[in-house]
Amino acid sequence: MPDLVVAYSGGADSTALLHALAAVRPPARLRSLHVDHGLQPDSADWAQHCRDQASVLGVDCRVLKANIAEAEIGRHGVEAAARHARYALLAEAMRKGECLVTAQHREDQLETILLQLLRGAGLPGLAAMAPATRFGPGFLTRPLLDRGRGELVSYLQRHGIRWIEDPANRDLRYDRSFLRTEVLPLVRERWPAADASGARTARHLAEGAALLRQLAAADLAACDAGEGRLDNDRLRRLPAARQRNALRHWLRSAGRAAPDARHLARLVEEVVGGGGRQPRLHIGSALVRRYRNRLYLLDSEIPAPPEGTYPLAVGRTLELPERLGRLTLVPGAASGIDPDLVARGCEVRFRDGGERLAPQSRRPSRRLKQLFQEAGVVPWMRGCVPLVYCGGRLVAVADLWLAADCTRPGGARPSWEGRPALY
């Protein structure tokens, strides 16, 4: 059994959860985390309340302070910005293998389904909150999804336990509070079993979402082009709905946010099926590009080609700028750079344009642009390939090519480790 970490807000739900777990879990296997969002005047007092209550139970309580930027609130709204900050802090504070336990219950699940429905979410969103999932360096579980809030409040009242009432829960400016206060009482008056029905619907939708993930995994395996790339020709043969499903899963599997419907449609139309030799589309912090019928998922900010020169000595490892890996001149190669040339001093530069190399003996030199094109090196990385100069002469393009008339048995050969994907 993993050690448990309770996300402890001090409200009724998480207070009941912490109290119940403390009654059955040794203190050494249980701790709590409280996030102070700093959005309410009394937030510091709430944090102290959580410390005090956890101390009575013999449970450690660590307070995490959020720093929510105004820009984030303006972009996503208070609720979403606070939620993003909260889960980021909780994930960062967890230890490897721990299980975060949160107190969402049946009413929370119904609220989530309705909010996702009103936002036009797809099946994964409508499946609402999963009972368990991977999270941070461990897992997250929600053991109370089949319990009602009334049960939790009754538990606290029987045991004489105090909890915090956050006034934001009654603030009708917030979507969830509006649903909870104004809409759901009317729904339950007409349909008393709405909470239980919503939880059951979420389970059905979660099964459907799981089947879509399985289909996406199978389609991605059929379109796999290695190193996280996709074969665009194979992807285009899929029906449009399966293309969208596979692409959504591809992005999420790489740790990226799933695109909304508009961006997903643009991705299929402009990059997968569009014209042009190198179409691209920014999606959040990611960039999807097509090159030679392969799809690449990249960071939006691709490193700019470095400038300047960097000394390189035999047997010494050079850490390249812009996280481009490490380059070493390894001596004693069967075919390497002439030691006489190496003795004249070596350095690393990056492309400035017009460089030429003759990797084959008795053949004329060729422009690096041609060599890169024929080898299929992606255009956006060509300026980041380290060029080795000895005695002022270009003798090697990383460990891709050596100048044929500069090689000798027993010479030094470049080795490029930790390099980014070039193909």
Side-chain angles (χ1 to χ4, degrees):
M1 290 277 298
D3 291 344
L4 301 182
V5 186
V6 175
Y8 182 31
S9 70
D13 311 333
S14 63
T15 298
L17 177 62
L18 181 63
H19 190 277
L21 287 175
V24 298
R25 193 79 171 178
R29 306 296 303 276
L30 177 67
R31 65 189 184 103
S32 61
L33 297 172
H34 173 82
V35 178
D36 179 357
H37 299 89
L39 297 174
Q40 295 289 341
D42 296 329
S43 65
D45 294 336
W46 297 347
Q48 189 57 51
H49 166 88
C50 290
R51 288 193 192 97
D52 294 341
Q53 291 296 310
S55 178
V56 170
L57 297 171
V59 176
D60 176 66
C61 179
R62 179 183 170 193
V63 175
L64 311 172
K65 290 195 174 184
N67 182 17
I68 305 174
E70 289 294 332
E72 286 295 302
I73 294 176
R75 189 178 301 115
H76 303 292
V78 174
E79 290 175 290
R83 182 172 60 253
H84 294 160
R86 178 169 63 253
Y87 278 103
L89 285 170
L90 292 170
E92 186 179 337
M94 286 178 63
R95 301 163 189 158
K96 187 176 180 180
E98 281 187 325
C99 182
L100 182 70
V101 189
T102 62
Q104 288 98 347
H105 47 72
R106 205 161 50 203
E107 286 91 329
D108 292 325
Q109 188 75 305
L110 179 59
E111 292 167 8
T112 301
I113 293 170
L114 291 175
L115 285 170
Q116 295 283 28
L117 178 67
L118 294 170
R119 292 167 183 161
L123 193 55
L126 290 172
M129 296 177 287
T133 186
R134 289 192 174 276
F135 181 76
F139 304 88
L140 182 152
T141 185
R142 301 179 175 95
L144 302 180
L145 286 180
D146 286 327
R147 300 283 185 174
R149 187 174 191 274
E151 298 176 70
L152 306 181
V153 171
S154 295
Y155 175 89
L156 295 175
Q157 291 172 339
R158 286 198 308 272
H159 290 85
I161 303 168
R162 295 187 302 113
W163 67 89
I164 295 167
E165 287 290 354
D166 185 346
N169 291 333
R170 300 187 298 275
D171 191 333
L172 301 186
R173 292 175 300 173
Y174 303 133
D175 292 343
R176 189 175 287 270
S177 299
F178 181 82
L179 269 180
R180 183 178 299 155
T181 304
E182 298 293 315
V183 177
L184 287 178
L186 294 175
V187 170
R188 294 188 185 99
E189 185 178 331
R190 181 65 181 257
W191 296 281
D195 296 328
S197 299
R200 187 166 61 251
T201 296
R203 289 193 294 271
H204 295 328
L205 292 169
E207 287 183 1
L211 291 174
L212 284 181
R213 288 194 297 271
Q214 292 175 21
L215 177 62
D219 285 340
L220 289 176
C223 298
D224 181 39
E227 298 184 12
R229 301 161 301 187
L230 297 183
D231 184 307
N232 196 64
D233 282 340
R234 296 178 192 170
L235 184 65
R236 290 183 64 176
R237 295 190 194 109
L238 295 174
R242 284 172 62 178
Q243 288 183 36
R244 293 192 295 270
N245 185 48
L247 288 166
R248 186 187 298 111
H249 188 71
W250 182 51
L251 287 161
R252 296 191 69 167
S253 298
R256 310 289 186 170
D260 58 26
R262 180 172 63 88
H263 281 94
L264 195 57
R266 287 188 60 193
L267 181 57
V268 171
E269 180 180 349
E270 298 174 19
V271 182
V272 175
R277 297 176 62 186
Q278 297 181 44
R280 69 188 77 181
L281 180 67
H282 287 273
I283 301 178
S285 63
L287 173 64
V288 180
R289 298 187 66 153
R290 191 183 83 219
Y291 177 66
R292 293 191 176 180
N293 276 325
R294 288 180 176 175
L295 294 186
Y296 294 79
L297 180 56
L298 311 165
D299 290 331
S300 285
E301 297 298 328
I302 296 172
E307 298 179 352
T309 60
Y310 304 84
L312 184 65
V314 175
R316 300 286 295 274
T317 297
L318 171 64
E319 290 286 343
L320 297 170
E322 303 292 343
R323 296 178 296 176
L324 293 176
R326 301 165 299 282
L327 191 70
T328 307
L329 274 183
V330 181
S335 178
I337 303 168
D338 187 337
D340 290 338
L341 273 174
V342 172
R344 294 169 60 185
C346 299
E347 63 186 15
V348 168
R349 305 177 197 171
F350 292 87
R351 287 185 72 192
D352 192 36
E355 296 89 353
R356 304 180 71 90
L357 190 82
Q360 296 174 304
S361 60
R362 293 189 292 276
R363 297 289 297 273
S365 65
R366 305 176 66 194
R367 296 177 61 190
L368 293 195
K369 180 179 180 180
Q370 293 175 296
L371 293 174
F372 284 140
Q373 286 178 335
E374 291 179 8
V377 175
V378 292
W380 54 91
M381 288 306 301
R382 294 173 187 174
C384 296
V385 175
L387 310 180
V388 180
Y389 286 77
C390 293
R393 178 180 177 184
L394 177 61
V395 296
V397 179
D399 52 7
L400 305 178
W401 302 286
L402 296 177
D405 61 347
C406 296
T407 59
R408 298 289 185 276
R413 195 171 187 91
S415 173
W416 189 11
E417 296 181 344
R419 72 185 188 188
L422 298 180
Y423 303 100

